[in-house]
Amino acid sequence: AALFARMDEKHPAIADAAGLANWYVHHFNLRGRWREGESLAVRALQVRERVLGPEHPSTLNSVNNLAYLYRSQGRYAEAEPLFQRALGAFERVLGPEHPSTLTSVNNLASLYKSQGRYAEAEPLYQRALAAKERVLGQEHPGTLTSVNNLAELYWSQGRNAEAEPLHQRALAARERVLGPEHPDTLVSVANLAVLYDSQGRNAEAEPLLHRALAARERVLGSEHPDTLNSVNNLAVLYESQGRNAEAEPL
């Protein structure tokens, strides 16, 4: 990363170095090392714009990476035009239903959802899901991610009757395609449990919460953020039923 920051743009390996820099950006973002990630992301984007052109797919990946970095910090006003730029360019260069285009559709929808702009997010999530069903198939993992995203959007608005069948669909398909303890399957287990819990359907929620927690402890470890989220979800369920003796050790 340090070498890339000092590398001359005429160096024959500069484009490859920009690709490696994007890998570092992704990992810095995951670890909350945003200042380090931002300088690399900006540099990688500048290099790719000059070396590859402003609408080359690799350049647009760098646009998305910088937008992700801003979004992770809540810098939505800076992230939005970048996500919009990436989406518009991908549509022109690769077509409206290319997987990279649909990833950009999803990115912009997620940004809107993060800000409570549900009316803008919904048609984008619906577009991504419909296109992925056509292009990838009904049970492709990418399609199921879109099913889950739309379900979560509905749940965020209290539209439980629309969210529930989508969460059920995502869970059943992920169990078949990915297996019962894949992390994505466990996300669907937890999501359906939380939906039931939010409606007071404790008898349906509790076994799912136990399943998600036990599997995440085995697969991800006891201190993974998803595992700790499952611990919290189960504690909330117990507390809502006055089962404080069971909630306290969690």
Side-chain angles (χ1 to χ4, degrees), residues 175-234:
E175 287 176 325
R176 286 191 297 273
V177 174
L178 302 174
E181 295 202 346
H182 187 281
D184 288 352
T185 304
L186 300 178
V187 167
S188 285
V189 172
N191 286 344
L192 188 57
V194 169
L195 182 138
Y196 289 153
D197 183 40
S198 69
Q199 300 176 77
R201 296 161 63 181
N202 298 329
E204 293 167 275
E206 185 169 345
L208 292 174
L209 292 173
H210 280 294
R211 172 184 166 185
L213 175 56
R216 282 173 165 170
E217 286 176 330
R218 285 192 298 271
V219 173
L220 302 174
S222 59
E223 295 194 1
H224 188 279
D226 287 353
T227 306
L228 298 177
N229 187 54
S230 283
V231 171
N232 180 71
N233 288 342
L234 189 57

Side-chain angles (χ1 to χ4, degrees), residues 37-231:
E38 184 173 345
S39 61
L40 269 181
V42 170
R43 168 84 166 140
L45 175 55
Q46 291 170 341
V47 166
R48 283 180 158 174
E49 284 178 325
R50 283 193 280 268
V51 175
L52 301 175
E55 294 203 345
H56 188 281
S58 293
T59 303
L60 300 177
N61 287 335
S62 287
V63 173
N64 267 329
N65 286 341
L66 183 57
Y68 271 126
L69 201 68
Y70 289 151
R71 181 193 161 196
S72 297
Q73 300 172 74
R75 294 163 64 181
Y76 301 130
E78 292 166 275
E80 185 172 345
L82 292 174
F83 279 138
Q84 291 172 332
R85 170 186 165 184
L87 174 55
F90 274 131
E91 287 176 326
R92 286 190 298 274
V93 174
L94 300 177
E97 295 201 345
H98 187 279
S100 294
T101 305
L102 298 179
T103 295
S104 283
V105 171
N106 183 75
N107 289 344
L108 188 56
S110 295
L111 181 77
Y112 291 153
K113 178 177 179 285
S114 298
Q115 300 173 80
R117 295 163 64 181
Y118 301 131
E120 293 167 275
E122 185 172 343
L124 292 173
Y125 276 139
Q126 290 172 332
R127 170 185 165 183
L129 174 55
K132 285 180 179 180
E133 288 176 327
R134 286 191 298 271
V135 174
L136 302 175
Q138 295 278 332
E139 296 202 345
H140 186 280
T143 304
L144 299 178
T145 296
S146 285
V147 172
N148 182 74
N149 289 343
L150 187 56
E152 288 190 339
L153 181 76
Y154 290 152
W155 181 80
S156 297
Q157 300 172 80
R159 295 162 63 182
N160 294 328
E162 293 165 276
E164 184 173 344
L166 291 175
H167 276 316
Q168 290 171 333
R169 171 185 166 185
L171 174 55
R174 282 173 164 172
E175 287 176 325
R176 286 191 297 273
V177 174
L178 302 174
E181 295 202 346
H182 187 281
D184 288 352
T185 304
L186 300 178
V187 167
S188 285
V189 172
N191 286 344
L192 188 57
V194 169
L195 182 138
Y196 289 153
D197 183 40
S198 69
Q199 300 176 77
R201 296 161 63 181
N202 298 329
E204 293 167 275
E206 185 169 345
L208 292 174
L209 292 173
H210 280 294
R211 172 184 166 185
L213 175 56
R216 282 173 165 170
E217 286 176 330
R218 285 192 298 271
V219 173
L220 302 174
S222 59
E223 295 194 1
H224 188 279
D226 287 353
T227 306
L228 298 177
N229 187 54
S230 283
V231 171

Side-chain angles (χ1 to χ4, degrees), residues 3-24:
L3 178 62
F4 172 66
R6 299 192 303 271
M7 188 179 288
D8 190 285
E9 287 187 14
K10 295 181 181 178
H11 193 287
I14 190 70
D16 290 336
L20 182 60
N22 273 322
W23 182 86
Y24 278 106

